[in-house]
Each structure stands twice: as structure tokens, then as C-alpha cells.
Amino acid sequence: MPIDQELLDILVCPENRTPVSMADAAVLDRLNAAIEGGTVENLGGDAVTEPVTEGLVREDGRILYAIQEGIPVMLIDESIDLSKL
């Protein structure tokens, strides 16, 4: 379920208040390969074990917020640091 453009236009990273955009297929493929390999933790330190089908990436490309059942999970502890992949 795609995110409504109006919602996407107002969403920002809760950590540094920069814009977010939809993650592209290459980012999701790289992330899901790492998840399958068992090497991904969220910023709260919990293992990420389920594939991510949609996500929002912070403007700098470093942090991803998963979208679950059409709802962006904009919690810092639930985000994933893409620079560690």
C-alpha cells in the first residue's frame, strides 16, 4: 500500500528533522539480504528478522524507517542504520 504523497511531504526523521523518501528496490534488496544473513539490528539493539517490503529513507541515505501494513514506523529505536550493512 503506497504512502499518500501528502503524508510523505510532511514526514521527517524524528532524530534530525530532515525529509524522508520512499526506499528504492536496491536499498530494500541490500537490506533484506543482510536481514536474511542475520546481521541486522535496529537502533534499539533488537535483531531485525522479518523482511522489509517498504520503507522511508532519511535524506542522507543512512537511516531507514520501515513501513508496516501501510503505516510508517517513525520511532528512532525501530529504525535501521543502513550505513552498517
Side-chain angles (χ1 to χ4, degrees), residues 1-48:
M1 169 185 297
I3 295 286
D4 180 69
Q5 187 61 47
E6 287 184 30
L7 177 59
L8 190 56
D9 289 343
I10 62 170
L11 286 175
V12 295
C13 172
E15 182 178 30
N16 68 4
R17 313 302 289 168
T18 58
V20 294
S21 61
M22 292 298 295
D24 64 27
V27 168
L28 294 174
D29 289 346
R30 182 169 53 108
L31 173 58
N32 286 323
I35 290 170
E36 191 173 311
T39 61
V40 179
E41 289 184 348
N42 63 27
L43 290 185
D46 297 323
V48 178

Side-chain angles (χ1 to χ4, degrees), residues 46-78:
D46 297 323
V48 178
T49 58
E50 296 296 318
V52 176
T53 57
E54 289 184 294
L56 298 172
V57 177
R58 191 166 73 186
E59 185 176 56
D60 64 6
R62 182 174 175 197
I63 300 294
L64 179 133
Y65 297 93
I67 298 172
Q68 297 175 352
E69 298 179 22
I71 301 169
V73 181
M74 303 299 289
L75 301 171
I76 294 170
D77 282 351
E78 295 293 321

